[in-house]
Amino acid sequence: MNKYDEKYEIRFAKYEEIEEIMQFIDTYWKKDHILAKNRKFFEYEMVVDGKVNFVIAKDRKSEIIHGLIGFIISSKNNY
């Protein structure tokens, strides 16, 4: 196990973590970013069938998100 594996849990985000992700975006991406301000829009763009399209790195001790990356499915109708 390398030092990052020891410090971070890297995985797909859970639906229950959306508020944390939105706060991270507002703090570290851009203040008042649309994905940080509008939960309905966030879910429209970033959630498919209850799955949140973000991979997060959470500190194992503090359980705080230290990094994330999101992706958008090209078509909700063709996958």
Side-chain angles (χ1 to χ4, degrees):
M1 185 180 279
N2 69 43
K3 66 181 179 178
Y4 295 107
D5 291 334
E6 292 172 12
K7 182 161 177 64
Y8 296 108
E9 175 186 15
I10 299 173
R11 59 173 170 74
F12 283 100
K14 299 173 186 169
Y15 186 83
E16 301 81 34
E17 295 171 312
I18 289 174
E19 286 297 323
E20 289 177 76
I21 295 168
M22 292 176 73
Q23 289 173 357
F24 185 95
I25 291 169
D26 193 57
T27 302
Y28 298 106
W29 282 14
K30 182 182 180 203
K31 185 77 177 154
D32 295 327
H33 189 286
I34 187 69
L35 291 177
K37 289 178 60 173
N38 188 320
R39 170 108 185 206
K40 187 174 180 179
F41 183 76
F42 180 101
E43 289 196 32
Y44 174 77
E45 287 292 325
M46 305 307 296
V47 179
V48 177
D49 296 331
K51 296 177 184 171
V52 182
N53 292 329
F54 271 90
V55 174
I56 62 172
K58 244 187 180 182
D59 185 283
R60 290 184 187 276
K61 291 181 182 172
S62 69
E63 296 187 5
I64 294 172
I65 295 173
H66 282 208
L68 54 76
I69 187 166
F71 56 94
I72 297 173
I73 302 293
S74 63
S75 174
K76 292 182 181 182
N77 300 321
N78 296 323
Y79 65 92

